[in-house]
């Protein structure tokens, strides 16, 4: 099987590269494609902020000794609601929430979880702002977030430092429609291939099988 190589002049023609926020990837992408703009994948930006939000939620949970407390039930069983965009929360339709054992609206559940925990509420608002500029491709909101954010000693500070450090690539994510979603899909297929075949004794056969994966 013939290997494929690209000359420097060919690589200099690459204009955009989409990737996640891994710093090591950025180093060799800039070396391989010196003229390319980096566009960070929007999913990974939201994922990073979502993990920081969950970290603070779990910290709050550990501080609640009474596991029958309504606040504990809300934060423990209905965590998915805190990851929704605010405009997706139902404000009028009442439904039964099993963990809380009450009939109420999604908005009331979220309000209850934020009411007594101001630091968690700050992180929630930062997360919502990140969702806003990612979903609306709103560069003005991104700029305001970077300029106005005040550290509060939580994991969200790390997220904001990452955003500030990678500001241009994240701004590019608001400008361009490109995503590394297709590549992530191929990576998943490769992992499934390894699992289903219990590995390959011959690495060359493994690469051949990868090339046979439909795009």
């Amino acid at each position: 099987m013939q290997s494929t190589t690209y000359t420097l002049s060919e690589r200099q023609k690459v204009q955009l590269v989409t990737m996640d926020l891994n710093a090591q990837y950025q180093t060799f992408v800039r070396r391989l494609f010196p003229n390319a703009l980096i566009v960070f994948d929007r999913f990974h930006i939201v994922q990073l902020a979502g993990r920081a939000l969950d970290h603070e939620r779990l910290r709050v949970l550990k501080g609640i000794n009474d596991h029958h407390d309504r606040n504990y039930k809300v934060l423990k069983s209905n965590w998915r609601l805190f990851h929704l965009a605010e405009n997706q929360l139902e404000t009028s339709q009442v439904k039964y929430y099993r963990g809380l054992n009450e009939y109420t609206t999604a908005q009331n559940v979220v309000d209850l979880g934020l009411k007594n925990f101001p630091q968690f509420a700050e992180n929630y608002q930062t997360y919502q702002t990140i969702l806003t500029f990612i979903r609306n491709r709103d560069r003005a909101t991104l700029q305001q977030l970077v300029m106005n954010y005040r550290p509060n000693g939580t994991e969200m500070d790390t997220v904001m430092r990452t955003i500030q450090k990678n500001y241009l690539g994240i701004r590019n994510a608001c400008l361009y429609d490109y995503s590394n979603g297709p590549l992530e899909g191929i990576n998943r297929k490769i992992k499934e291939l390894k699992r289903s075949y219990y590995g390959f004794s011959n690495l060359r056969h493994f690469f051949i099988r990868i090339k046979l994966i439909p795009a």
Side-chain angles (χ1 to χ4, degrees), residues 46-56 83 127 155-156 159:
V46 174
Q47 184 184 58
L48 183 67
R51 286 174 179 168
L53 182 68
D54 277 336
H55 187 276
E56 179 62 17
H83 286 263
Y127 174 77
E155 285 293 316
M156 197 61 75
V159 174

Side-chain angles (χ1 to χ4, degrees), residues 2-213:
Q2 185 177 3
S3 61
T4 302
T5 58
Y6 298 94
T7 65
L8 176 60
S9 61
E10 289 174 323
R11 288 186 276 114
Q12 287 176 333
K13 296 177 183 178
V14 175
Q15 298 178 2
L16 296 170
V17 175
T18 61
M19 57 180 294
D20 61 27
L21 292 159
N22 187 299
Q24 292 181 342
Y25 289 172
Q26 295 181 50
T27 300
F28 67 75
V29 163
R30 290 192 173 96
R31 186 183 306 132
L32 290 174
F33 310 107
N35 297 327
L37 293 176
I38 289 179
V39 180
F40 290 113
D41 186 71
R42 290 175 290 277
F43 168 79
H44 288 93
I45 300 170
V46 174
Q47 184 184 58
L48 183 67
R51 286 174 179 168
L53 182 68
D54 277 336
H55 187 276
E56 179 62 17
R57 178 181 61 84
L58 292 174
R59 187 195 67 79
V60 171
L61 277 175
K62 291 178 181 179
I64 303 176
N65 296 323
D66 183 6
H67 291 185
H68 297 288
D69 184 86
R70 293 177 75 220
N71 292 312
Y72 184 90
K73 292 179 179 179
V74 165
L75 295 173
K76 176 73 174 180
S77 303
N78 300 283
W79 60 270
R80 290 182 179 85
L81 293 178
F82 295 93
H83 286 263
L84 294 177
E86 286 181 306
N87 58 11
Q88 292 180 310
L89 293 173
E90 183 59 57
T91 59
S92 58
Q93 183 177 0
V94 174
K95 62 175 289 188
Y96 180 75
Y97 287 91
R98 188 176 300 277
L100 191 57
N101 298 325
E102 294 180 17
Y103 284 93
T104 187
T105 65
Q107 185 65 66
N108 286 340
V109 173
V110 169
D111 290 343
L112 178 61
L114 301 177
K115 181 179 180 182
N116 297 316
F117 309 105
Q119 201 167 57
F120 180 58
E122 287 180 14
N123 283 13
Y124 176 78
Q125 291 304 322
T126 301
Y127 174 77
Q128 289 296 326
T129 304
I130 292 172
L131 277 185
T132 298
F133 81 71
I134 288 295
R135 294 189 175 188
N136 299 335
R137 314 287 181 86
D138 188 346
R139 287 172 291 165
T141 300
L142 168 62
Q143 184 177 15
Q144 290 174 5
L145 173 64
V146 170
M147 292 176 60
N148 298 328
Y149 181 77
R150 296 291 180 268
N152 56 16
T154 67
E155 285 293 316
M156 197 61 75
D157 292 351
T158 303
V159 174
M160 289 306 304
R161 284 195 295 269
T162 300
I163 290 177
Q164 291 165 355
K165 182 179 179 181
N166 301 283
Y167 181 81
L168 292 179
I170 294 175
R171 187 194 63 178
N172 289 338
C174 299
L175 289 171
Y176 301 99
D177 293 330
Y178 298 107
S179 163
N180 65 346
L183 180 61
E184 296 287 347
I186 293 174
N187 287 342
R188 180 175 180 179
K189 289 179 181 178
I190 293 174
K191 291 178 181 179
E192 291 176 350
L193 179 67
K194 290 172 62 178
R195 183 169 57 251
S196 62
Y197 280 84
Y198 298 97
F200 286 81
S201 59
N202 188 308
L203 188 61
R204 181 173 177 273
H205 292 168
F206 181 41
F207 289 149
I208 292 173
R209 187 62 184 83
I210 289 174
K211 289 195 173 185
L212 294 175
I213 294 176

